[in-house]
Amino acid sequence: MMMTSRRTFLVLSGLSALAAAGCGTASGSGIRNTKSLRYQGSAGAVTPPELAAALGFLDDLKLDWVGNTISGPQDIQSAASGQTDFGGAFNGAVVKLAARKAPIKAVVSYYGSDKYAYSGFYVTEKSAIRSPRDLIGKKVGMNTLGAHHEAMLDIYLKKNGLSRAESEQVERIVVPPVNTEQSLRQRQIDVAVLGGILRDKALATGGVRKLFSDFDLRGPFSAGTLVLTERFIKQNPQTVRTFVTGVGKALDWSRTTPRDEVVAKMTEIVARRKRSESPDALKYWRSYGVSAPGGRIEEKELSVWADWLTERGDIKSGQVSVPGLFTNEFNTNRAKAGS
């Protein structure tokens, strides 16, 4: 009950506190370098920061769990409003929040798409849908609108020659992830967006085929970043350096360590934290999808979504300065040569 109340408080207070965070000043603006970071987690999953802490990559920096997030936008809104110290979301949501003058800065990537971690757009085996144009007038089920999956659908349609007017004839339906496969099989929707364990389960059952995936569309890419407020960064530079570098090390460790060993470590973490959650989904874990060394951020990983949001009319052209929205300054993990 206490956790639910806390989470509800974060949601309700986020918007009102956001304005205050943008225009207020902290009492005493000196360097603090806190040793504890408040954050929200995810039931049955281990986030890169949690993995970093368990591996000892955060040194003496502690993570203070305050509950589980209900979505990426809510998570970064909580960070922007000061209810937590960091949050993570799809890069398009980060751009959108920045457009509302939220004083945030992306500091490290934490999830993405690769050959193991990707979201696919699936139809039934006997579906008549074979090409992008076949989607006109059809229903596509996804977890939320205005985020990663809808962006991928728009990019796919545009890349294959559909006009904006034609693209708008493809109906986007919000379906809870756990119900998406069933909705497809019962023909309540024509296309289902599936990823992770839900994708693997549907493929194992059979009777579905992939139309395309975000990995097919863009290759490996980082899709989401962790953000902190500019004020927090200014007051806690060494804390931020320790945190960002540690998360980057954890991402690299997860990519270079045998999968069974990573899953065993994650299972151990979930068991030890005692949050009344099931670790069953962890056995399907394959990758965080972040290919960039140390989770370093590239400008194009944010600019592509700024362009998409501008085209949709969600933000105005030039409303967000992408180069000023992120920094790799605190990430001491070595970048690739030439980057």
Side-chain angles (χ1 to χ4, degrees):
M1 178 64 71
M2 184 169 62
M3 184 186 77
T4 302
S5 298
R6 173 64 172 168
R7 185 171 60 191
T8 302
F9 170 75
L10 289 169
V11 176
L12 296 177
S13 62
L15 281 172
S16 59
L18 180 56
C23 62
T25 57
S27 57
S29 57
I31 301 299
R32 297 178 180 178
N33 285 320
T34 179
K35 295 298 182 182
S36 178
L37 293 176
R38 297 165 299 153
Y39 80 103
Q40 296 181 97
S42 182
V46 176
T47 66
E50 290 171 328
L51 179 60
L55 292 171
F57 294 158
L58 299 185
D59 298 332
D60 60 347
L61 184 60
K62 305 299 182 185
L63 299 182
D64 179 15
W65 177 71
V66 299
N68 289 328
T69 183
I70 58 174
S71 70
Q74 182 269 329
D75 198 28
I76 59 173
Q77 196 171 82
S78 294
S81 64
Q83 303 306 306
T84 57
D85 294 314
F86 69 87
F90 161 59
N91 282 332
V94 174
V95 171
K96 203 167 185 178
L97 188 59
R100 292 166 50 194
K101 306 302 181 184
I104 58 172
K105 194 173 287 288
V107 293
V108 64
S109 295
Y110 79 108
Y111 87 88
S113 178
D114 61 17
K115 63 181 180 180
Y116 301 115
Y118 64 87
S119 292
F121 288 65
Y122 291 88
V123 297
T124 59
E125 195 69 59
K126 297 181 180 180
S127 172
I129 298 174
R130 297 282 177 178
S131 71
R133 195 160 291 278
D134 292 335
L135 290 173
I136 295 176
K138 300 300 190 294
K139 296 179 180 179
V140 181
M142 57 188 67
N143 67 331
T144 188
L145 302 182
H148 183 110
H149 296 149
E150 188 172 14
M152 287 299 155
L153 177 60
D154 281 348
I155 291 172
Y156 172 71
L157 296 174
K158 182 179 179 180
K159 184 177 181 179
N160 285 281
L162 273 71
S163 68
R164 188 69 192 172
E166 290 172 325
S167 177
E168 289 175 352
Q169 294 178 53
V170 180
E171 189 174 357
R172 298 102 199 275
I173 305 292
V174 175
V175 182
V178 294
N179 298 332
T180 307
E181 178 190 351
Q182 181 182 10
S183 296
L184 176 67
R185 295 187 187 279
Q186 293 181 346
R187 300 185 180 181
Q188 296 169 337
I189 56 177
D190 302 292
V191 184
V193 183
L194 299 168
I197 180 176
L198 299 177
R199 177 198 67 217
D200 293 343
K201 175 178 173 291
L203 292 175
T205 301
V208 299
R209 59 179 167 82
K210 184 180 67 175
L211 187 61
F212 74 97
S213 73
D214 51 8
F215 178 67
D216 296 334
L217 198 59
R218 299 193 64 226
F221 66 97
S222 295
T225 48
L226 297 178
V227 306
L228 301 97
T229 64
E230 294 175 346
R231 184 169 66 188
F232 184 91
I233 293 172
K234 183 177 181 180
Q235 293 177 341
N236 303 275
Q238 187 53 50
T239 298
V240 176
R241 191 176 306 279
T242 299
F243 174 69
V244 171
T245 299
V247 170
K249 286 181 179 179
L251 289 168
D252 289 346
W253 181 87
S254 73
R255 191 170 56 250
T256 58
T257 301
R259 176 184 169 278
D260 289 348
E261 187 176 333
V262 178
V263 171
K265 187 64 176 179
M266 290 180 168
T267 303
E268 174 191 317
I269 293 169
V270 169
R272 189 170 62 238
R273 66 194 186 192
K274 297 179 180 179
R275 296 181 189 170
S276 299
E277 58 191 328
S278 172
D280 291 349
L282 291 174
K283 61 187 177 183
Y284 294 96
W285 183 93
R286 301 181 74 186
S287 170
Y288 283 120
V290 178
S291 58
R296 294 177 70 88
I297 304 169
E298 294 185 27
E299 183 176 337
K300 65 182 180 181
E301 294 165 352
L302 289 156
S303 63
V304 64
W305 309 121
D307 293 343
W308 175 67
L309 290 166
T310 300
E311 185 177 342
R312 282 167 54 96
D314 291 345
I315 65 174
K316 297 178 181 178
S317 179
Q319 188 173 347
V320 176
S321 170
V322 173
L325 181 53
F326 75 97
T327 181
N328 288 311
E329 175 187 353
F330 299 94
N331 196 334
T332 63
N333 294 288
R334 185 171 299 179
K336 291 179 181 177
S339 63

